[in-house]
Every structure is written in structure tokens, then in C-alpha cells.
């Protein structure tokens, strides 16, 4: 029987609460669809850092490297200075495991309330492909005359042609499996050096993928077009910072952080990809059973798609979407059920049957993670 070896990193706050539901749903999907899972927990995050002073060491990175995939909850704790966990742990894992693509689908599921008035769910189904290892997030720069009124802060953006080309090529291949539309999002009228490099590489690839229609939208204009005309987009490719910002807007359009799923995809096949909800550790609601597990479960669906279990991936997505569509509120005490109860409801709806329409959807899902 097929077996997949998963690393489980719960992290902090609501991370363990939602990741437990994701793993529960994965186990259920495995039972229904005829494969098995091996899971290995890793104690990483704020508590481990506070207890031991260690974020992550190279032995742990090497151990993570050997798994088929990683399921990650969230990290962050008010007792830890902002930036320490993000840079020292999350960004380090993404970099060392060469997870060059951060993939964030923006899909409005039927019945899920969106703040965009009268938005028909069929108009909203696109993905943001965010470059995941470079840009402003590398941390290059310096502070001169710090602490004085003459302080100068220099923050550099790193843009490597080869890394951009990998992400752009992935995006074209993905668009080719979807609706054949690719949009570059940048701010090339102001960030002229980085913008020109991104545009040049997109243009080079456009010639190699003639069936894909290509356009360009500035990042600020994107914040207007995404909510007003989401049907305009299929695959949006962008850098690390713009991708972070516009995908949070995407999460809002699709009903909030309780719904937004993501994958950090390794493209060379030599290290695992990592799947996580877009949201953070939500310390304001941790420990109360108020966290919506759907984003984590939908991320688990992406994990199954990446592992080649398309039917099971779709079964998970459908189960989570149907439970989401019934909630009164998408987060907090008004959801009408606890995190764990919602996990159980999702599990109860994981089925084995697949219709013809579903087959088309499966190929879109698996393409996401395996092009
Ligand atoms: P957050 O995403 O943790 O929470 C923002 C708001 O949304 C909060 O009011 C929270 O209660 C709510 N929320 C988030 N997920 C929810 C869910 N599943 N169900 C119901 N409500 C939910 O972002 P915030 O508050 O800015 O950051 C908290 C901590 O998380 C910080 O330490 C931050 O650095 C970290 N963080 C970690 C991320 C990661 O692990 N990849 C990503 C984003 C933030
Ligand atoms: Mg963010």
C-alpha cells in the first residue's frame, strides 16, 4: 500500500489546534482512499525557543529533508521579539528546503460570506504564485547613525535571475494546466531594476509558452482589480513582498484567514514541500477552541495533491468547503462549533466517489503542486 512519510510541525498558539484537525483529515482521507501515513512530530516554535534558546539546528533541517512533506501549523508568540521566529525558523526552513514557490489559491467557496458585495463564487478562482526565498525578505541592508535623528535605514531587495526564472517557469506551466492566463504583478514603474528583471524573464518565457496570455498589473492597482474583477485573474506571479500583501487581500476576498490555504513548494524534488494555513498563531484566541480549522485542512488537501493523491485531495477540499459553507461566522465563538467539532464534521464528509466534473478539478489541483 502507498505510504507517505509526513513531518508534523504544530508550532504555537492555534497552530497545534488547527494542525491536529489537518492531520485528522489526512488520516481519514488515507483510510477512504487506500493509502497510509507515517507522522513524525517536531517540537519547534516559540516555546522550544524560550525553553532551550534554540530555533532550529542543522540536524533538524537534515531530518526534515528526508520526509515526503511537512504539515505546519503556525508560529508566533507575544513573548518573543517579532522577527526572531519568522527569520530564524519559518524563512530558514523555506530557504534551506528550497521551497521557491509560495502558492496561495484564492477560491470563493459557495455559501462562504465574502465582504465583496454580490460576488458570484464562479468569478473567483485564481492562484497567487509568490517567490518565496528572496526579495525584501532576505534581510540585506544596514542602519547608519541608528538611534539618532539622522538614522538612515537601508533595506535591500535581492532578485536573482535564476530564482525568478524558476518561479516564472512554474507559473507558466501552471497557467497551461488552468485557464492559460498569467499576470505579472510588480511595481516596475518605481522599482525599475527589479521590475525590469522580472518583466524581461516573463517576456522570455512568454515566447516559449505561446498559448498562455500574459499581462502586467502594478501591485497597487492589483489591490483594486482583485476584489472588483477577480475573474480577470488565473495565475498571478509576483515577488515575495507583493505576494505577501496581495495574498492577504486574496484571503479577505475568499472569506478570511480561516479559509486561506498555502503551500511552500520545493521545485527540485530533493526536499519536501511544506503546507500551512496563511494565518498566524492567533494568540488572541489560542486555547479556546475558536480557531477555524478549514485553512489548515485545505492546506492538507494541497499536500495530498502534491503527493499525487488527486482524488483524496479533492475529497478533502470538498469536505472542508461544504462545512465552511454552512458556518454562521467563519471565525471565533460565533462559528457554532469548536475547532475539534468542525474537524470531525469535515472528516465525516470525506468520500470516495468522484464525478466527471471532479476529474477536471482534480487535474487542476494536482497540477498546482506537480507541474
Ligand atoms: P494571525 O493570523 O495570527 O491573526 C490575525 C487575526 O485573525 C486574529 O484576530 C486571529 O484571532 C484571527 N485568526 C487567524 N486565524 C484564525 C483562524 N483559523 N480562525 C479564527 N480566527 C483566526 O496574525 P497576527 O495576529 O498578526 O499574528 C499573530 C502571530 O502569528 C505573530 O507572532 C505573527 O508573527 C505570527 N504569524 C505567523 C505566521 C506563520 O506561522 N506562517 C503567519 C502570520 C503571522
Ligand atoms: Mg502575510
Amino acid at each position: 500500500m502507498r505510504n507517505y512519510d509526513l513531518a508534523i510541525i504544530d508550532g504555537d498558539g492555534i497552530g497545534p489546534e488547527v494542525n491536529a484537525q489537518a492531520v485528522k483529515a489526512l488520516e481519514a482521507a488515507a483510510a477512504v482512499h487506500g493509502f497510509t501515513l507515517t507522522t513524525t512530530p517536531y517540537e519547534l516554535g516559540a516555546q522550544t525557543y524560550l525553553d532551550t534558546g534554540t530555533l532550529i539546528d542543522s540536524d533538524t533541517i537534515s531530518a526534515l529533508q528526508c520526509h515526503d512533506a511537512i504539515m505546519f501549523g503556525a508560529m508566533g508568540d507575544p513573548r518573543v521579539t517579532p522577527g526572531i521566529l519568522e527569520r530564524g525558523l519559518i524563512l530558514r526552513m523555506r530557504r534551506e528546503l528550497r521551497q521557491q514557490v509560495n502558492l496561495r489559491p484564492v477560491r470563493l467557496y459557495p455559501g462562504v460570506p465574502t465582504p465583496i458585495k454580490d460576488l458570484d463564487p464562479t468569478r473567483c478562482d485564481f492562484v497567487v504564485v509568490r517567490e518565496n526565498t528572496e526579495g525584501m525578505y532576505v534581510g540585506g541592508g544596514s542602519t547608519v547613525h541608528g538611534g539618532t535623528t539622522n538614522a538612515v535605514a537601508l533595506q535591500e531587495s535581492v532578485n536573482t535571475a535564476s530564482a525568478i526564472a524558476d518561479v516564472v517557469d512554474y507559473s507558466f506551466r501552471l497557467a497551461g494546466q488552468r485557464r492559460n492566463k498569467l499576470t505579472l504583478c510588480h511595481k516596475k514603474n518605481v522599482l525599475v531594476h527589479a521590475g525590469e528583471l522580472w518583466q524581461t524573464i516573463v517576456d522570455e518565457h512568454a515566447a516559449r509558452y505561446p498559448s498562455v496570455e500574459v499581462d502586467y498589473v502594478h501591485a497597487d492597482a492589483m489591490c483594486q482589480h482583485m476584489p472588483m474583477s477577480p475573474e480577470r485573474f488565473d495565475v498571478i506571479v509576483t515577488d515575495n513582498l507583493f505576494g505577501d500583501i496581495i495574498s492577504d487581500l486574496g484571503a479577505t476576498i475568499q472569506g478570511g484567514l480561516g479559509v486561506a490555504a498555502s503551500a511552500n513548494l520545493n521545485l527540485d524534488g530533493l526536499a519536501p514541500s511544506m503546507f500551512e494555513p496563511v494565518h498566524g498563531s492567533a494568540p488572541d484566541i489560542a486555547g479556546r477552541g475558536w480557531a477555524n480549522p478549514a485553512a489548515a485542512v485545505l492546506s492538507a488537501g494541497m499536500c495530498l495533491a502534491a503527493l499525487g493523491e488527486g482524488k483524496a485531495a479533492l475529497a478533502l477540499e470538498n469536505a472542508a468547503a461544504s462545512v465552511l459553507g454552512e458556518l454562521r461566522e467563519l471565525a471565533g465563538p460565533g462559528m457554532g462549533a469548536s475547532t475539534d467539532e468542525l474537524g470531525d464534521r469535515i472528516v465525516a464528509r470525506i468520500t470516495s466517489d468522484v464525478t466527471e466534473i471532479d476529474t477536471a478539478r482534480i487535474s487542476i489541483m494536482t497540477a498546482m503542486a506537480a507541474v
Side-chain angles (χ1 to χ4, degrees):
M1 198 185 269
R2 304 181 302 285
N3 181 68
Y4 303 104
D5 174 16
L6 305 183
I8 311 294
I9 306 175
D10 284 342
D12 309 308
I14 63 168
E17 301 170 35
V18 296
N19 216 25
Q21 308 314 312
V23 173
K24 191 160 84 182
L26 285 169
E27 299 277 10
V32 171
H33 288 270
F35 56 93
T36 54
L37 301 173
T38 310
T39 56
T40 309
Y42 285 81
E43 298 291 332
L44 296 169
Q47 196 57 53
T48 308
Y49 173 65
L50 290 169
D51 291 346
T52 66
T54 305
L55 287 163
I56 188 167
D57 54 33
S58 40
D59 287 348
T60 308
I61 296 270
S62 304
L64 285 173
Q65 193 105 23
C66 299
H67 293 278
D68 294 325
I70 304 170
M71 286 301 303
F72 174 45
M75 274 172 202
D77 188 306
R79 296 170 297 170
V80 178
T81 309
I84 290 182
L85 294 162
E86 289 84 349
R87 284 179 185 281
L89 236 170
I90 304 175
L91 297 186
R92 182 165 172 206
M93 284 193 292
R94 289 176 182 171
R95 206 174 46 244
E96 297 224 13
L97 300 174
R98 297 176 307 289
Q99 294 163 343
Q100 289 179 279
V101 161
N102 189 279
L103 186 66
R104 298 186 168 189
V106 180
R107 209 171 164 223
L108 180 60
Y109 294 104
V112 171
T114 168
I116 312 303
K117 194 163 171 279
D118 299 330
L119 177 58
D120 177 347
T122 59
R123 289 176 53 210
C124 182
D125 183 4
F126 63 92
V127 296
V128 176
V129 176
R130 164 187 173 193
E131 196 289 319
N132 208 21
T133 59
E134 298 201 330
M136 299 285 272
Y137 287 52
V138 177
S142 58
T143 302
V144 187
H145 309 307
T148 74
T149 52
N150 295 322
V152 179
L154 300 173
Q155 191 79 50
E156 292 164 359
S157 169
V158 174
N159 299 268
T160 310
S162 58
I164 298 171
D166 288 345
V167 171
V168 165
D169 193 63
Y170 170 85
S171 303
F172 270 95
R173 283 181 286 139
L174 182 58
Q177 300 288 319
R178 291 177 50 99
R179 301 198 310 276
N180 282 302
K181 178 90 198 275
L182 180 137
T183 305
L184 170 62
C185 169
H186 207 278
K187 188 73 189 168
K188 65 178 182 180
N189 53 341
V190 177
L191 306 181
V192 290
H193 305 293
E196 190 187 328
L197 186 58
W198 273 88
Q199 184 67 67
T200 302
I201 290 169
V202 166
D203 291 345
E204 283 164 8
H205 281 76
R208 292 192 0 228
Y209 295 93
S211 58
V212 177
E213 183 194 336
V214 180
D215 75 352
Y216 170 87
V217 174
H218 289 316
D220 47 350
M222 184 59 89
C223 294
Q224 192 209 347
H225 294 313
M226 259 171 57
M228 299 310 287
S229 24
E231 67 280 357
R232 173 175 171 171
F233 303 110
D234 181 19
V235 175
I236 299 174
V237 63
T238 189
D239 83 351
N240 209 339
L241 176 61
F242 295 136
D244 196 4
I245 296 168
I246 67 166
S247 58
D248 272 26
L249 176 60
T252 300
I253 297 169
Q254 70 181 141
L257 286 169
V259 188
S262 78
N264 301 280
L265 297 177
N266 166 282
L267 299 182
D268 63 22
L270 301 175
S273 298
M274 181 163 75
F275 302 85
E276 55 170 321
V278 169
H279 64 72
S281 59
D284 54 337
I285 60 164
R288 302 187 178 193
W290 289 353
N292 187 339
V297 174
L298 290 166
S299 307
M302 295 177 79
C303 175
L304 290 179
L307 293 170
E309 295 291 343
K311 268 173 79 172
L314 187 67
L316 249 188
E317 186 187 24
N318 286 346
S322 91
V323 169
L324 267 177
E326 293 168 1
L327 295 182
R328 288 196 302 274
E329 302 284 337
L330 288 182
M335 284 196 301
S338 70
T339 307
D340 197 48
E341 284 163 354
L342 289 178
D344 289 343
R345 276 197 218 175
I346 294 172
V347 162
R349 290 183 200 188
I350 295 174
T351 58
S352 59
D353 54 321
V354 172
T355 67
E356 229 173 282
I357 299 167
D358 284 348
T359 315
R361 179 78 200 151
I362 286 175
S363 56
I364 286 180
M365 275 196 87
T366 45
M368 240 179 222
V371 291

